[in-house]
């Protein structure tokens, strides 16, 4: 049984990004609905891509066809949903190129991002660079001049294929090969947009680079492809936010993110996913961390109908450290199947997974995690901690941890807890004057605090606000 | 009493279908300190929880008037907003929520309007100083990892910030060593004003060495069986509960039909 999400339900949830621009949106170009080799070739040709990329896409497309839907361990029961690959637009172009001047962005798109607060953040210099993707392609991209002079590259991935082919070709598809899973294959076939970030050795980008992803069209698929390369001793924090209008039929978001963290470098990747509740969010995110490198995923999943996302770190060099802080919130009809994967390949590597999930109403959260320690990864240390909070009687949470350890000299800790918002806690807070709703909000805010405090200030504020919106009407 | 703050008449309360309070009568005026003493299981905590409106404590009869208003139909937050306060015997921890954040929200909720940051901070730090609490304490999560003494002090801090008209203290002395007990009692005394009524619920007399009640009541089997002045507490300290229980046993048998 699958609950149907209507725009009305989405509205009741107080989803403030549910507006669309369909009255004014004019696409310069759009492929026909559905997927075929011709569509894949068409996307590549419209983009004027080199032959190697066309070949990569076509090969990936055939792999996608051959590959069955994920079942069994890795999957949030996607086969139970009526996701029709032929009912989706795979590519739509709203603008001819990624503008570098905000005033050159088409008016209706500008309005959308204005409403989402993108230019504001840039004006206030809260970010070092910004990218904004509207449906398939990036419509705006800019980076602070001083960073550009230091050799930092922050462009959309389409431009990167054109302008930095030697770097892209060296790394593209090496961390997440097309054959990795069905949705990685799909993305590899039809990918468009996404961010390309290159940080030269020793350069530390002091404030975050930000990207914003927006699905506007009904039945649209968004398949951005992000590639981040942090050279030795560098640092970068990349932040992405995602929203979509509330339609009655489904949209699909299936991104691939690949990150290479070289010796002594550190990358932090923060996502606040707040898709509307008709979006399938099926994303493959993976990083390779080399000697002494640090890779951190901060992953907040609030929106979507079904999310399947397990950010991974392959710890390839000695003393590499991987971290995943995962926060999932599921309200009525939503399923957040989120988690993490840590693969210890080199000795003396360490990893930490902290997962916090909140379910309310008929919402369901699952933690799905994998920890693998290869033979030879001696003295590796891994910690997994999953906490689930249930708001009411019908909400549900499950934990599926998988562990595979081939090395004896390891130190592994796993802790899990499930708690329900307790009558005694509510009574205590109510006795101090707080209404039942405010008391519940406070308990939830406290529960997610360890994750929220890791976010940049303005994101933390926004996230707390979103959580409060989700909690309105949750009780009483 | 002209200025009666709290009037309880014939209060009966059940917990999970079992009747615990069998008709409690009590009147508390402003500026008065009442001690309610009794052996374990006599219904002391039930009285405290029922007055604050805990959903698990079902009032089956009687009335509770607070500042002239019948409060039995009000939710706990509404009672707090009317000026009722309960210092918990076992305060709950709220992980991830700092004391300062919690206190500010509580103060705002009880007042029904926003509290200027400056005013709040001044009040917070002044009250903490009074209770000999380090400022660092405000940044800790509510009751998370607090020692027994810290929990009780945090309750009194909340009382100071919320400025109630009636404070009920449920076994505030339990689990405290003598130094902690003294600090807590000094804090309560410092916060006592002529407008405040206090109900001290305690098993032992020792708290009453520090907070002096004008009235002492003995609760037994869900009824107040004897009321008096401070001398009653001293008598209990010397003789224990048995003599007074024996004295009232025939009356109890008559009332309940079973032997005490």
């Amino acid at each position: 049984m699958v609950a149907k999400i209507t725009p009305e339900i989405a509205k009741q949830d107080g989803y403030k990004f549910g507006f669309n621009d369909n009255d004014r949106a004019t696409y310069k170009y759009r492929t026909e609905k559905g997927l075929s080799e011709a569509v894949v070739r068409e996307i590549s040709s419209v983009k004027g891509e080199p032959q190697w990329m066309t070949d990569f896409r076509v090969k990936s497309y055939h792999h996608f066809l051959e590959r069955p839907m994920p079942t069994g361990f890795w999957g949030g029961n996607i086969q139970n949903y009526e996701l029709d690959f032929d009912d989706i637009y795979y590519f739509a172009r709203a603008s001819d190129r990624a503008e570098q001047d905000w005033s050159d962005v088409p008016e209706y798109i500008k309005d959308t991002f204005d409403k989402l607060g993108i230019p504001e953040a840039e004006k206030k210099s809260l970010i070092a660079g910004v990218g904004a993707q509207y449906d398939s392609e990036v419509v705006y991209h800019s980076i602070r001049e001083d960073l550009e002079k230091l050799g930092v590259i922050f462009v959309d991935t389409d431009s990167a294929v054109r302008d930095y082919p030697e770097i892209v070709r060296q790394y593209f598809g090496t961390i997440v090969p097309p054959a990795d899973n069905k949705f990685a294959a799909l993305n590899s076939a039809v990918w468009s947009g996404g961010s390309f970030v290159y940080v030269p050795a020793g350069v530390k980008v002091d404030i975050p680079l930000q990207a914003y992803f927006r699905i506007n069209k009904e039945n649209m698929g968004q398949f951005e492809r992000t590639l981040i390369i942090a050279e030795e001793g560098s640092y970068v924090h990349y932040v992405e936010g995602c929203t979509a209008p509330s339609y009655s039929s489904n949209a699909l978001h299936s991104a691939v993110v690949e990150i290479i963290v070289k010796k002594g470098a550190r990358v932090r990747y923060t996502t606040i996913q707040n898709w509307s509740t008709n979006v399938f969010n099926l994303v493959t995110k993976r990083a390779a961390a080399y000697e002494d490198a640090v890779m951190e995923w901060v992953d907040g999943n609030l929106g979507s109908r079904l999310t399947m996302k397990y950010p991974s770190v392959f710890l390839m060099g000695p003393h590499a450290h991987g971290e995943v802080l995962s926060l999932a919130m599921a309200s009525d009809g939503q399923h957040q199947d989120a988690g993490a994967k840590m693969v210890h390949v080199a000795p003396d590597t360490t990893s930490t997974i902290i997962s916090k999930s909140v379910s309310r109403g008929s919402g369901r959260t699952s933690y799905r995690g994998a920890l693998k320690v290869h033979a030879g990864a001696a003295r590796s240390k891994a910690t997994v901690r999953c906490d689930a909070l249930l708001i009411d009687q019908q909400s549900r949470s499950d934990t599926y941890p998988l562990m595979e350890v081939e090395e004896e000299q390891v130190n592994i800790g796993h802790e899990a807890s499930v708690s329900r918002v307790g009558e005694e806690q509510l009574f205590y807070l109510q006795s101090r004057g707080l209404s039942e709703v405010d008391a519940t909000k406070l308990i939830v805010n406290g529960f997610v605090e360890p994750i929220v405090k890791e976010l940049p200030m303005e994101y933390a504020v926004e996230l707390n606000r979103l959580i409060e919106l989700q909690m309105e009407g949750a009780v009483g | 009493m002209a200025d009666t703050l709290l009037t309880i008449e014939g209060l009966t309360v059940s917990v999970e279908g079992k009747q615990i309070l069998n008709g409690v009568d009590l009147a508390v005026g402003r500026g008065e300190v009442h001690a309610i003493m009794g052996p374990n299981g006599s219904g002391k905590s039930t009285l405290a929880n029922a007055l604050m409106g805990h959903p698990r404590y079902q009032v089956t009869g009687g009335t509770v008037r607070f500042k002239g208003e019948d409060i039995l139909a009000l939710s706990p937050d509404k009672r707090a907003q009317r000026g009722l306060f309960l210092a918990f015997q076992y305060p709950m921890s709220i992980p991830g929520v700092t004391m300062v954040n919690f206190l500010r929200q509580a103060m705002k909720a009880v007042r029904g309007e926003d509290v200027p940051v400056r005013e709040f901070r001044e009040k917070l730090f002044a009250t903490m100083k009074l209770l000999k609490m380090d400022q660092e304490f405000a940044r800790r999560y509510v009751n998370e990892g607090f020692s027994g003494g810290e929990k009780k002090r945090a309750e009194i801090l909340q009382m100071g910030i919320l400025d109630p008209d009636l404070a009920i203290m449920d076994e505030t002395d339990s689990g405290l060593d003598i130094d902690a007990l003294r600090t807590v009692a000094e804090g309560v005394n410092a916060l006592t004003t002529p407008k405040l009524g206090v109900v001290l619920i305690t098993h032992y007399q020792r708290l009453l060495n520090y907070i002096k009640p004008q009235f002492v009541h003995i609760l037994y089997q869900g009824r107040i069986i004897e009321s008096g002045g401070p001398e009653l507490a001293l008598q209990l300290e010397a003789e224990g509960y048995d003599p007074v229980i024996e004295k009232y046993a025939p009356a109890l048998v008559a009332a309940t039909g079973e032997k005490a």
Side-chain angles (χ1 to χ4, degrees), chain A residues 423-425 427-436 438 442-443 445-447 449-450 453 468, chain B residues 49 54 56 76-77 80-81 85-86 88 92-93 95-97 102 105-106 109-110 143 155 158:
Chain A
E423 188 182 55
E424 295 298 329
Q425 272 184 323
F427 175 60
Y428 185 63
L429 293 176
Q430 280 188 275
S431 80
R432 301 309 185 234
L434 274 65
S435 67
E436 193 178 346
D438 286 342
L442 196 65
I443 292 168
N445 274 330
F447 177 77
E449 166 67 15
K453 75 173 185 210
E468 291 199 355
Chain B
N49 280 299
H54 193 300
R56 221 153 27 85
D77 47 318
Q81 286 158 20
F85 180 86
L86 170 63
F88 282 62
M92 298 303 295
S93 63
V97 177
F102 165 58
Q105 280 211 40
V110 164
N143 292 318
E155 291 295 290
Q158 291 169 48

Side-chain angles (χ1 to χ4, degrees), chain A residues 304-315:
Chain A
S304 87
R305 179 174 183 184
L306 169 69
T307 285
M308 287 167 57
K309 193 192 327 165
Y310 324 98
S312 318
V313 185
F314 282 65
L315 300 156

Side-chain angles (χ1 to χ4, degrees), chain B residues 54-142:
Chain B
H54 193 300
R56 221 153 27 85
Y57 294 77
Q58 264 203 310
V59 174
T60 50
T63 58
V64 175
R65 302 185 75 78
F66 179 58
K67 295 198 277 189
E69 181 188 15
D70 179 357
I71 58 165
L72 285 178
L74 299 177
S75 56
D77 47 318
K78 295 280 183 277
R79 297 184 197 198
Q81 286 158 20
R82 301 291 196 280
L84 196 62
F85 180 86
L86 170 63
F88 282 62
Q89 182 178 5
Y90 304 111
M92 298 303 295
S93 63
I94 315 289
V97 177
T98 56
M99 284 298 291
V100 62
N101 178 12
F102 165 58
L103 288 168
R104 179 124 197 261
Q105 280 211 40
M107 192 173 175
K108 182 180 160 188
V110 164
R111 282 203 186 178
E113 60 181 22
D114 233 328
V115 182
V117 182
R118 204 194 150 122
E119 185 192 333
F120 168 71
R121 292 181 69 86
E122 277 170 5
K123 179 144 192 168
L124 174 65
F125 292 134
T127 316
M128 287 177 75
K129 204 173 157 193
L130 200 70
L131 292 164
K132 300 194 174 77
M133 295 169 103
D134 194 271
Q135 289 203 0
E136 192 57 35
F137 199 82
R139 278 198 276 273
R140 290 174 67 185
Y141 295 150
V142 179

Side-chain angles (χ1 to χ4, degrees), chain B residues 234-254:
Chain B
L234 295 170
Q235 182 194 324
L236 283 179
E237 173 84 345
E239 301 170 10
Y241 285 104
D242 286 347
V244 69
I245 288 169
E246 271 164 35
K247 185 173 148 199
Y248 285 87
L252 279 172
V253 172

